[in-house]
Amino acid sequence: MSTTGGNTAADQLREALAKPMFNAVLKTWVGAGTTDYEVYVRTGELLSLQTEIGQLTDPDELMFQIVHQAQEVWLKLLSHELAGVVGELDRDALWEASARLDRVIRIAECLAGELRVLETMTPDTYQVIRRSLGNGSGQESPGYNAVLTAADQVAAALDRLLDRRGIRVVDVYAQWAVPPHDLKRVCELLVEFDERFQLWLVGHFMMVRRTIGIGHGVNALDGVPTRVLTGRMTKPLFRSLWQLRDELTAGWRREGGYAPGAARKAHAGCTGTSSSQG
Ligand code: HEM
Protein backbone atom coordinates (compact mmCIF):
# COMPACT_ATOMS: atom_id res chain seq x y z
CA MET A 1 0.00 0.00 0.00
CA SER A 2 1.36 3.40 -0.94
CA THR A 3 1.81 5.99 1.80
CA THR A 4 2.37 8.83 -0.66
CA GLY A 5 -0.04 10.64 -2.92
CA GLY A 6 -1.78 12.95 -0.48
CA ASN A 7 -5.27 11.57 -1.22
CA THR A 8 -6.59 10.15 2.02
CA ALA A 9 -7.45 12.15 5.15
CA ALA A 10 -4.43 10.51 6.86
CA ASP A 11 -2.12 11.60 4.03
CA GLN A 12 -3.46 15.15 4.18
CA LEU A 13 -2.98 15.19 7.95
CA ARG A 14 0.65 14.01 7.61
CA GLU A 15 1.29 16.80 5.10
CA ALA A 16 -0.24 19.37 7.46
CA LEU A 17 1.80 18.08 10.41
CA ALA A 18 5.01 18.63 8.47
CA LYS A 19 4.28 22.37 8.09
CA PRO A 20 4.09 25.27 10.59
CA MET A 21 0.72 25.58 12.36
CA PHE A 22 -1.20 28.65 13.46
CA ASN A 23 -1.56 28.88 17.27
CA ALA A 24 -4.87 30.59 17.94
CA VAL A 25 -3.95 31.60 21.52
CA LEU A 26 -0.66 33.23 20.57
CA LYS A 27 -1.90 34.28 17.14
CA THR A 28 1.39 33.24 15.66
CA TRP A 29 2.86 30.50 13.49
CA VAL A 30 4.58 27.65 15.33
CA GLY A 31 6.85 25.01 13.81
CA ALA A 32 9.30 27.07 11.77
CA GLY A 33 11.76 26.95 14.67
CA THR A 34 11.72 30.71 15.25
CA THR A 35 9.76 31.31 18.49
CA ASP A 36 11.67 31.72 21.76
CA TYR A 37 10.48 28.28 22.89
CA GLU A 38 11.64 26.62 19.69
CA VAL A 39 14.98 28.43 19.71
CA TYR A 40 15.68 27.53 23.36
CA VAL A 41 14.60 23.87 23.06
CA ARG A 42 16.26 23.70 19.62
CA THR A 43 13.20 21.97 18.20
CA GLY A 44 14.34 22.69 14.66
CA GLU A 45 17.43 20.48 15.08
CA LEU A 46 15.77 18.02 17.44
CA LEU A 47 12.81 17.23 15.18
CA SER A 48 15.00 16.91 12.10
CA LEU A 49 17.00 14.08 13.70
CA GLN A 50 14.50 11.42 12.63
CA THR A 51 14.25 9.71 9.24
CA GLU A 52 11.80 11.47 6.89
CA ILE A 53 8.35 9.91 7.07
CA GLY A 54 8.42 8.99 3.39
CA GLN A 55 11.76 7.18 3.80
CA LEU A 56 10.80 4.91 6.72
CA THR A 57 11.13 1.19 5.93
CA ASP A 58 8.03 0.65 8.09
CA PRO A 59 5.68 3.16 9.77
CA ASP A 60 6.83 1.77 13.18
CA GLU A 61 10.45 2.72 12.40
CA LEU A 62 9.79 6.28 13.62
CA MET A 63 8.75 4.94 17.04
CA PHE A 64 11.77 2.61 17.07
CA GLN A 65 14.15 5.49 16.29
CA ILE A 66 12.55 7.95 18.71
CA VAL A 67 12.60 5.51 21.64
CA HIS A 68 16.32 4.86 21.02
CA GLN A 69 17.06 8.59 20.77
CA ALA A 70 15.03 9.35 23.90
CA GLN A 71 16.89 6.60 25.78
CA GLU A 72 20.23 8.15 24.80
CA VAL A 73 19.09 11.57 26.03
CA TRP A 74 17.91 10.19 29.38
CA LEU A 75 21.13 8.16 29.75
CA LYS A 76 23.10 11.34 29.08
CA LEU A 77 21.22 13.11 31.86
CA LEU A 78 21.72 10.11 34.16
CA SER A 79 25.52 10.19 33.81
CA HIS A 80 25.52 13.99 34.26
CA GLU A 81 23.55 13.64 37.50
CA LEU A 82 25.84 10.85 38.70
CA ALA A 83 28.83 13.18 38.23
CA GLY A 84 26.95 15.58 40.52
CA VAL A 85 26.56 12.81 43.11
CA VAL A 86 30.34 12.16 43.02
CA GLY A 87 30.97 15.83 43.86
CA GLU A 88 28.40 15.81 46.65
CA LEU A 89 29.72 12.63 48.27
CA ASP A 90 33.27 14.01 48.10
CA ARG A 91 32.25 17.16 50.00
CA ASP A 92 30.07 15.27 52.51
CA ALA A 93 26.92 16.97 51.19
CA LEU A 94 24.69 13.97 51.84
CA TRP A 95 21.34 15.76 51.79
CA GLU A 96 22.18 17.09 48.33
CA ALA A 97 23.40 13.67 47.20
CA SER A 98 20.13 12.11 48.46
CA ALA A 99 18.01 14.68 46.63
CA ARG A 100 19.95 14.09 43.42
CA LEU A 101 19.70 10.31 43.78
CA ASP A 102 15.94 10.71 44.09
CA ARG A 103 16.07 12.36 40.65
CA VAL A 104 18.42 9.68 39.30
CA ILE A 105 15.95 6.97 40.38
CA ARG A 106 13.09 8.71 38.59
CA ILE A 107 15.17 9.00 35.42
CA ALA A 108 15.91 5.26 35.57
CA GLU A 109 12.15 4.67 35.89
CA CYS A 110 11.59 6.78 32.75
CA LEU A 111 14.10 4.61 30.88
CA ALA A 112 12.27 1.41 31.81
CA GLY A 113 8.86 2.93 31.06
CA GLU A 114 9.89 3.98 27.57
CA LEU A 115 10.82 0.42 26.64
CA ARG A 116 7.16 -0.48 27.15
CA VAL A 117 6.42 1.71 24.13
CA LEU A 118 9.00 -0.15 22.03
CA GLU A 119 7.51 -3.49 23.11
CA THR A 120 4.38 -2.71 21.06
CA MET A 121 6.42 -3.39 17.91
CA THR A 122 5.55 -6.89 16.71
CA PRO A 123 8.34 -9.37 15.80
CA ASP A 124 7.58 -9.37 12.06
CA THR A 125 7.97 -5.58 11.95
CA TYR A 126 11.33 -5.76 13.73
CA GLN A 127 12.59 -8.28 11.15
CA VAL A 128 12.02 -5.53 8.54
CA ILE A 129 13.54 -2.65 10.54
CA ARG A 130 16.54 -4.73 11.58
CA ARG A 131 17.75 -4.91 7.96
CA SER A 132 18.76 -1.24 8.15
CA LEU A 133 20.64 -1.37 11.47
CA GLY A 134 24.00 -2.59 10.18
CA ASN A 135 25.81 -4.61 12.85
CA GLY A 136 24.78 -2.24 15.64
CA SER A 137 24.96 -3.45 19.26
CA GLY A 138 23.50 -2.00 22.41
CA GLN A 139 27.01 -2.22 23.87
CA GLU A 140 27.84 0.66 21.49
CA SER A 141 25.36 2.97 23.22
CA PRO A 142 27.32 6.03 24.41
CA GLY A 143 24.76 6.71 27.11
CA TYR A 144 25.02 3.19 28.54
CA ASN A 145 28.84 3.37 28.60
CA ALA A 146 28.69 6.79 30.23
CA VAL A 147 26.40 5.52 33.01
CA LEU A 148 28.71 2.57 33.72
CA THR A 149 31.72 4.91 33.86
CA ALA A 150 29.92 7.38 36.12
CA ALA A 151 28.58 4.65 38.42
CA ASP A 152 32.14 3.33 38.93
CA GLN A 153 33.13 6.81 40.07
CA VAL A 154 30.13 7.03 42.43
CA ALA A 155 31.24 3.72 43.98
CA ALA A 156 34.77 5.11 44.40
CA ALA A 157 33.40 8.31 46.00
CA LEU A 158 31.32 6.21 48.42
CA ASP A 159 34.49 4.28 49.40
CA ARG A 160 36.31 7.59 50.04
CA LEU A 161 33.41 8.79 52.20
CA LEU A 162 33.45 5.57 54.24
CA ASP A 163 37.24 5.90 54.66
CA ARG A 164 36.82 9.46 55.97
CA ARG A 165 34.27 8.18 58.52
CA GLY A 166 36.50 5.23 59.37
CA ILE A 167 33.83 2.57 58.79
CA ARG A 168 33.17 -0.32 56.45
CA VAL A 169 30.01 -0.34 54.37
CA VAL A 170 28.56 -3.22 56.41
CA ASP A 171 28.93 -1.05 59.55
CA VAL A 172 26.39 1.41 58.10
CA TYR A 173 23.81 -1.33 58.66
CA ALA A 174 25.27 -2.79 61.87
CA GLN A 175 22.78 -2.99 64.72
CA TRP A 176 25.40 -2.18 67.38
CA ALA A 177 26.32 1.12 65.74
CA VAL A 178 24.69 4.48 66.37
CA PRO A 179 22.81 4.61 63.10
CA PRO A 180 24.52 7.01 60.65
CA HIS A 181 21.15 7.84 59.11
CA ASP A 182 22.40 10.21 56.42
CA LEU A 183 24.89 7.68 55.12
CA LYS A 184 22.42 4.81 55.36
CA ARG A 185 19.88 6.84 53.38
CA VAL A 186 22.45 7.49 50.62
CA CYS A 187 23.36 3.78 50.53
CA GLU A 188 19.71 2.77 50.23
CA LEU A 189 19.10 5.30 47.45
CA LEU A 190 22.12 3.92 45.60
CA VAL A 191 20.68 0.41 45.95
CA GLU A 192 17.32 1.71 44.73
CA PHE A 193 18.96 3.27 41.66
CA ASP A 194 20.98 0.10 41.05
CA GLU A 195 17.78 -1.95 41.23
CA ARG A 196 15.98 0.40 38.81
CA PHE A 197 18.91 0.25 36.38
CA GLN A 198 18.93 -3.54 36.50
CA LEU A 199 15.15 -3.55 36.01
CA TRP A 200 15.66 -1.44 32.89
CA LEU A 201 18.00 -4.16 31.56
CA VAL A 202 15.61 -6.92 32.67
CA GLY A 203 12.82 -5.09 30.81
CA HIS A 204 15.17 -4.83 27.81
CA PHE A 205 15.77 -8.57 28.00
CA MET A 206 12.03 -9.29 27.99
CA MET A 207 11.67 -6.98 24.99
CA VAL A 208 14.48 -8.83 23.19
CA ARG A 209 12.78 -12.11 24.08
CA ARG A 210 9.46 -11.12 22.56
CA THR A 211 11.06 -9.37 19.57
CA ILE A 212 13.77 -11.74 18.27
CA GLY A 213 13.74 -14.53 20.85
CA ILE A 214 16.38 -16.02 23.13
CA GLY A 215 16.46 -19.58 21.82
CA HIS A 216 19.68 -21.43 20.92
CA GLY A 217 21.05 -20.08 17.65
CA VAL A 218 19.34 -16.67 17.96
CA ASN A 219 22.04 -14.05 17.55
CA ALA A 220 22.16 -10.26 17.71
CA LEU A 221 23.27 -8.31 14.63
CA ASP A 222 26.86 -8.39 15.91
CA GLY A 223 26.69 -12.20 16.13
CA VAL A 224 26.38 -12.31 19.94
CA PRO A 225 23.80 -14.87 21.17
CA THR A 226 20.83 -13.06 22.70
CA ARG A 227 21.09 -15.44 25.69
CA VAL A 228 24.21 -13.64 26.96
CA LEU A 229 21.90 -10.93 28.27
CA THR A 230 20.62 -13.23 31.04
CA GLY A 231 24.04 -13.25 32.70
CA ARG A 232 24.61 -9.51 32.34
CA MET A 233 21.32 -7.84 33.19
CA THR A 234 21.52 -8.23 36.97
CA LYS A 235 25.20 -7.34 37.32
CA PRO A 236 25.16 -4.67 40.06
CA LEU A 237 26.56 -1.18 39.63
CA PHE A 238 27.48 -0.97 43.34
CA ARG A 239 28.68 -4.46 44.20
CA SER A 240 29.65 -3.78 47.85
CA LEU A 241 26.11 -2.63 48.68
CA TRP A 242 24.72 -5.97 47.53
CA GLN A 243 27.51 -8.03 49.10
CA LEU A 244 26.81 -6.57 52.53
CA ARG A 245 23.35 -8.15 52.37
CA ASP A 246 24.98 -11.53 51.97
CA GLU A 247 27.34 -10.73 54.85
CA LEU A 248 24.48 -9.70 57.14
CA THR A 249 22.63 -12.91 56.35
CA ALA A 250 25.79 -14.99 56.82
CA GLY A 251 26.24 -13.46 60.31
CA TRP A 252 22.59 -13.89 61.29
CA ARG A 253 21.70 -15.90 64.41
CA ARG A 254 18.24 -17.14 65.33
CA GLU A 255 18.70 -16.31 69.06
CA GLY A 256 16.81 -13.20 70.23
CA GLY A 257 13.59 -13.78 68.32
CA TYR A 258 10.30 -15.35 69.43
CA ALA A 259 8.75 -18.64 68.56
CA PRO A 260 5.69 -17.97 66.38
CA GLY A 261 2.74 -17.26 68.70
CA ALA A 262 4.90 -16.80 71.86
CA ALA A 263 4.25 -13.84 74.22
CA ARG A 264 6.40 -10.77 73.38
CA LYS A 265 7.91 -7.88 75.39
CA ALA A 266 7.46 -4.22 74.41
CA HIS A 267 10.28 -3.01 72.15
CA ALA A 268 11.54 0.56 72.59
CA GLY A 269 12.09 1.21 68.87
CA CYS A 270 8.46 0.32 68.08
CA THR A 271 6.72 2.32 70.83
CA GLY A 272 8.03 5.80 70.10
CA THR A 273 10.63 5.67 72.91
CA SER A 274 13.92 6.90 71.51
CA SER A 275 16.69 4.35 71.30
CA SER A 276 19.98 4.15 69.49
CA GLN A 277 19.73 0.36 69.46
CA GLY A 278 18.14 -1.22 66.40
C1 HEM B 1 13.67 -4.10 19.69
C2 HEM B 1 14.64 -3.40 20.22
C3 HEM B 1 15.92 -4.00 20.69
C4 HEM B 1 16.46 -5.22 20.46
C5 HEM B 1 15.90 -6.36 19.63
C6 HEM B 1 17.71 -5.27 21.18
C7 HEM B 1 18.55 -6.37 21.17
C8 HEM B 1 19.70 -6.47 21.90
C9 HEM B 1 20.54 -7.63 21.97
C10 HEM B 1 20.26 -8.94 21.22
C11 HEM B 1 21.57 -7.35 22.77
C12 HEM B 1 22.74 -8.30 23.18
C13 HEM B 1 23.76 -8.40 22.14
C14 HEM B 1 24.59 -7.18 21.98
O1 HEM B 1 25.11 -6.66 22.97
O2 HEM B 1 24.70 -6.76 20.84
C15 HEM B 1 21.39 -6.00 23.24
C16 HEM B 1 22.21 -5.35 24.12
C17 HEM B 1 21.98 -4.09 24.60
N1 HEM B 1 20.99 -3.23 24.23
FE1 HEM B 1 19.45 -3.66 23.04
N2 HEM B 1 17.89 -4.09 21.83
C18 HEM B 1 16.83 -3.29 21.56
C19 HEM B 1 16.62 -2.01 22.03
C20 HEM B 1 17.47 -1.33 22.86
C21 HEM B 1 17.27 0.00 23.35
C22 HEM B 1 16.06 0.89 23.06
C23 HEM B 1 18.32 0.30 24.12
C24 HEM B 1 18.52 1.62 24.81
C25 HEM B 1 19.65 2.26 24.80
C26 HEM B 1 19.20 -0.84 24.15
C27 HEM B 1 20.36 -0.95 24.85
C28 HEM B 1 21.13 -2.07 24.94
C29 HEM B 1 22.27 -2.19 25.81
C30 HEM B 1 22.78 -1.12 26.77
C31 HEM B 1 22.81 -3.45 25.60
C32 HEM B 1 24.01 -4.05 26.32
C33 HEM B 1 23.48 -4.74 27.56
C34 HEM B 1 24.40 -5.78 28.14
O3 HEM B 1 25.33 -6.20 27.46
O4 HEM B 1 24.13 -6.18 29.29
N3 HEM B 1 18.65 -1.81 23.37
N4 HEM B 1 20.25 -5.50 22.70
Side-chain angles (χ1 to χ4, degrees):
M1 189 189 77
S2 168
T3 54
T4 56
N7 299 323
T8 67
D11 290 332
Q12 286 167 19
L13 174 58
R14 283 191 196 98
E15 261 177 49
L17 292 175
K19 295 178 187 157
M21 274 156 259
F22 190 73
N23 180 294
V25 175
L26 300 174
K27 305 210 180 341
T28 187
W29 288 89
V30 170
T34 51
T35 64
D36 281 357
Y37 175 90
E38 292 170 293
V39 171
Y40 180 78
V41 180
R42 298 170 69 174
T43 53
E45 290 151 278
L46 183 65
L47 302 178
S48 66
L49 295 176
Q50 295 79 42
T51 304
E52 295 274 342
I53 304 293
Q55 294 181 3
L56 296 170
T57 57
D58 182 281
D60 281 5
E61 192 180 4
L62 182 64
M63 183 274 292
F64 181 86
Q65 198 173 41
I66 286 179
V67 171
H68 278 81
Q69 290 179 341
Q71 296 261 297
E72 286 302 327
V73 175
W74 282 122
L75 288 163
K76 175 179 178 174
L77 181 59
L78 207 44
S79 59
H80 171 74
E81 297 294 345
L82 290 175
V85 172
V86 170
E88 284 152 358
L89 293 182
D90 275 343
R91 58 174 201 276
D92 293 283
L94 298 197
W95 189 91
E96 288 84 345
S98 300
R100 193 173 306 283
L101 284 168
D102 189 20
R103 179 182 299 167
V104 158
I105 289 161
R106 291 170 196 222
I107 297 169
E109 287 169 357
C110 284
L111 276 169
E114 277 175 5
L115 287 187
R116 299 275 301 142
V117 178
L118 192 45
E119 275 191 325
T120 61
M121 177 183 61
T122 54
D124 48 321
T125 301
Y126 182 62
Q127 298 297 347
V128 174
I129 293 174
R130 152 174 228 243
R131 296 193 182 116
S132 305
L133 303 179
N135 293 327
S137 156
Q139 282 283 343
E140 295 169 357
S141 153
Y144 171 72
N145 285 279
V147 169
L148 294 190
T149 302
D152 276 354
Q153 291 308 312
V154 171
L158 179 64
D159 286 346
R160 291 192 289 274
L161 173 60
L162 291 167
D163 281 350
R164 284 197 299 283
R165 296 206 179 181
I167 52 172
R168 299 168 307 150
V169 70
V170 71
D171 297 334
V172 175
Y173 293 81
Q175 298 208 344
W176 49 261
V178 175
H181 293 303
D182 52 353
L183 192 47
K184 192 172 182 181
R185 180 79 186 126
V186 166
C187 289
E188 285 301 284
L189 287 168
L190 286 171
V191 169
E192 178 70 14
F193 163 53
D194 204 338
E195 178 180 325
R196 294 284 143 203
F197 194 72
Q198 289 174 49
L199 285 174
W200 171 62
L201 288 170
V202 170
H204 169 271
F205 169 75
M206 294 307 294
M207 185 183 64
V208 171
R209 187 179 190 180
R210 68 189 273 181
T211 308
I212 48 174
I214 53 158
H216 285 292
V218 176
N219 294 335
L221 290 162
D222 58 357
V224 174
T226 54
R227 293 192 152 224
V228 300
L229 291 171
T230 51
R232 295 184 192 160
M233 62 192 178
T234 53
K235 187 168 174 258
L237 295 172
F238 310 113
R239 185 177 298 278
S240 66
L241 292 174
W242 297 94
Q243 270 172 353
L244 77 86
R245 268 101 178 141
D246 299 344
E247 280 180 47
L248 287 177
T249 304
W252 179 75
R253 297 288 172 270
R254 190 176 287 279
E255 296 80 50
Y258 295 96
R264 297 181 175 205
K265 289 187 297 195
H267 282 259
C270 305
T271 55
T273 316
S274 69
S275 166
S276 63
Q277 299 294 307

